Amino acid sequence: MTTRKPVIIAGAGPTGLMCALALRKQDIPVVLLESEPALTHDLRAGSFHPPTQEMMAPYGITDRMHETGIQVRHWQIRNRPGDLIAEFDLGLLKDITPYPYRLHLEQHRLTPIQLDLLRAEGGAEIHFGHAVTGYTQTADGVSVTVKANGESRVIEGSWLIGADGGRSAVRKGLDVEFEGFTWPELFVVVSTPYDFAQHGFALNCYIADPVEWGALFKVPDAGPPGLWRLAYPVDPTESEEVLLSPTRIEDALQRLIAKPTAYDILYKSTYRVHQRVAASFRAGRVLLAGDAAHLNNPLGGFGLNSGIHDAINLTDKLGRLWRGEGGEELLDLYSRQRRAATIEQVQAMSIRNKRTMEERDPAVQRKNLEALVAVANDPVKAREHVLNTSMILGLKRANEVQ
Ligand SMILES: Cc1cc2nc3c(=O)[nH]c(=O)nc-3n(C[C@H](O)[C@H](O)[C@H](O)COP(=O)(O)OP(=O)(O)OC[C@H]3O[C@@H](n4cnc5c(N)ncnc54)[C@H](O)[C@@H]3O)c2cc1C
């Protein structure tokens, strides 16, 4: 019966798909535009914190993720020779969440689940190979220009959600600063089937080292036995060819665990890392969510999780506005709450995590790591630490923002 113009979503990554599904569940018309011809399949995030699993559960996503995802209850801090410094147990949270663990599943295995459920829900117009190239807005709606097969056309909508990733064309079309900085180094991400668990490594480890810190975690791949993924920093002045050469990658892995035979490498890539937050997640009828609104380094696994948190917060408020249960101030509240969560939690923790892992001064590093050991050994402090690093405390604080 509704003749209202749809909500247009730019980007079918995890954030855009989550927005589309959550809006369709509220019977709100949706047009989802993705520039690529299909869902993207590159090596990216793969760790889901307890609140993110809780948020996706009502949509049937979390159950589907558990079919292949790996439940990771413990995570560790190690040093470069590989010695264990501290271990944290997410089982401490079993009284407050049905998911007292991180669920590891590659991002490119989440998005097909979301798309499947979106299609099953019905009613969404989904267009691949459609890039948003510009838009205008009035008090009543948005006119979004889309390029497909070399031709441009305009789609009319009531709201536009920019979930189009770090290089967001939607954000760039707004007079909104993308505040923050870019780290000087590049990150390399490689995957190997070699099983680090046989050396006592938990399925999620951070390796502190002044020269080459690392983040190591296990992902399911196509099924057991899965793959181990290592991320480490490299010199950005060297060519990608050198940085990703078999010798360089072999050296990096041998420095982690030396072994007589070469490592099998299944995937490898480099990427540049930023710490940035848009000055506002709303400008009139245009809203930003996920990487389009904020970027952070991967230490702590917050990027994709916070994109899902944006999507849930935004679509709840957009739904209330759509049904006349509140005014447009709800969308400003979305911006305030999610900016607060991003700045006070995600940015602060991911920057602190990286600095702890890469600390150059041995005395400072020893002190930092001793502090972590003291936290791990104190049940009250350990619970607080796990509540914080699982994003539970930051979300609670941000949701209280008015
Ligand atoms: C190379 C790389 C590696 C990463 N590794 C990690 C990691 O190890 N750990 C971690 O926690 N996080 C990692 N991240 C971050 C994490 O992947 C993101 O936080 C997550 O992808 C955010 O989801 P999103 O849906 O907001 O954006 P994206 O996943 O970027 O999705 C945006 C979508 O929009 C589409 N799009 C772009 N422009 C347009 C347009 N103009 N019109 C229509 N569609 C458009 C894109 O094709 C894409 O499908 C990584 C990111 C990158 C780029």
Side-chain angles (χ1 to χ4, degrees), residues 11 13-15 33-35 43-45 107 132 163-164 271 290-291 298 303-304:
T15 306
L33 303 166
E34 166 56 48
S35 55
L43 272 197
R44 293 206 189 183
Q107 180 171 327
V132 170
D164 50 344
Y271 81 106
D291 273 19
L304 170 55

Side-chain angles (χ1 to χ4, degrees), residues 31-308:
V31 175
L32 177 61
L33 303 166
E34 166 56 48
S35 55
E36 295 295 322
L39 294 175
T40 61
H41 192 277
D42 42 1
L43 272 197
R44 293 206 189 183
S47 184
F48 296 86
H49 292 293
T52 315
Q53 297 179 59
E54 284 181 40
M55 284 180 204
M56 294 192 292
Y59 301 92
I61 301 172
T62 306
D63 276 353
R64 291 274 304 271
M65 291 170 75
H66 276 72
E67 289 168 12
T68 44
I70 302 173
Q71 296 179 26
V72 179
R73 187 171 145 177
H74 298 96
W75 55 274
Q76 297 175 339
I77 310 280
R78 291 181 167 259
N79 63 16
R80 206 17 119 158
D83 300 332
L84 178 62
I85 306 286
E87 180 168 282
F88 292 94
D89 178 5
L90 283 146
L92 292 173
L93 305 181
K94 64 177 185 300
D95 57 327
I96 57 159
T97 174
Y99 307 103
Y101 45 82
R102 292 182 181 185
L103 188 68
H104 284 191
L105 183 76
E106 295 92 334
Q107 180 171 327
H108 63 259
R109 297 185 198 283
L110 164 69
T111 48
I113 295 174
Q114 292 173 304
L115 181 60
D116 222 27
L117 291 167
L118 178 62
R119 287 198 162 126
E121 186 64 32
E125 253 190 61
I126 307 168
H127 299 292
F128 284 93
H130 281 57
V132 170
T133 55
Y135 55 88
T136 55
Q137 59 169 318
T138 63
D140 303 322
V142 287
S143 304
V144 178
T145 307
V146 177
K147 196 163 181 186
N149 302 318
E151 302 214 336
S152 286
R153 69 181 169 110
V154 173
I155 303 178
E156 300 294 335
S158 55
W159 300 91
L160 170 62
I161 299 177
D164 50 344
R167 296 195 180 127
S168 173
V170 174
R171 187 191 65 243
K172 287 176 184 161
L174 297 172
D175 190 16
V176 165
E177 274 292 304
F178 204 27
E179 297 161 348
F181 64 92
T182 298
W183 294 99
E185 66 271 46
L186 278 177
F187 288 23
V188 164
V189 186
V190 294
S191 294
T192 173
Y194 184 74
D195 184 11
F196 291 91
Q198 63 188 292
H199 302 284
F201 281 72
L203 304 183
N204 193 324
C205 293
Y206 299 101
I207 297 132
D209 185 74
V211 181
E212 194 178 88
W213 56 263
L216 181 70
F217 68 107
K218 189 171 181 185
V219 288
D221 192 37
L227 290 175
W228 287 76
R229 190 187 286 185
L230 175 69
Y232 56 94
V234 289
D235 178 355
T237 61
E238 293 197 281
S239 70
E240 179 140 319
E241 201 187 344
V242 170
L243 295 170
L244 295 183
S245 63
T247 331
R248 279 297 182 83
I249 292 175
E250 183 63 25
D251 286 351
L253 285 158
Q254 290 287 346
R255 280 195 294 279
L256 187 61
I257 289 287
K259 66 184 188 80
T261 52
Y263 281 89
D264 249 356
I265 300 301
L266 271 72
Y267 303 106
K268 53 184 179 181
S269 59
T270 60
Y271 81 106
R272 191 163 275 290
V273 184
H274 316 266
Q275 302 283 164
R276 291 186 187 275
V277 185
S280 172
F281 292 4
R282 178 190 178 207
R285 293 192 160 259
V286 180
L287 299 140
L288 298 174
D291 273 19
H294 45 75
L295 294 170
N296 57 272
N297 80 67
L299 294 178
F302 303 128
L304 170 55
N305 284 271
S306 49
I308 301 291

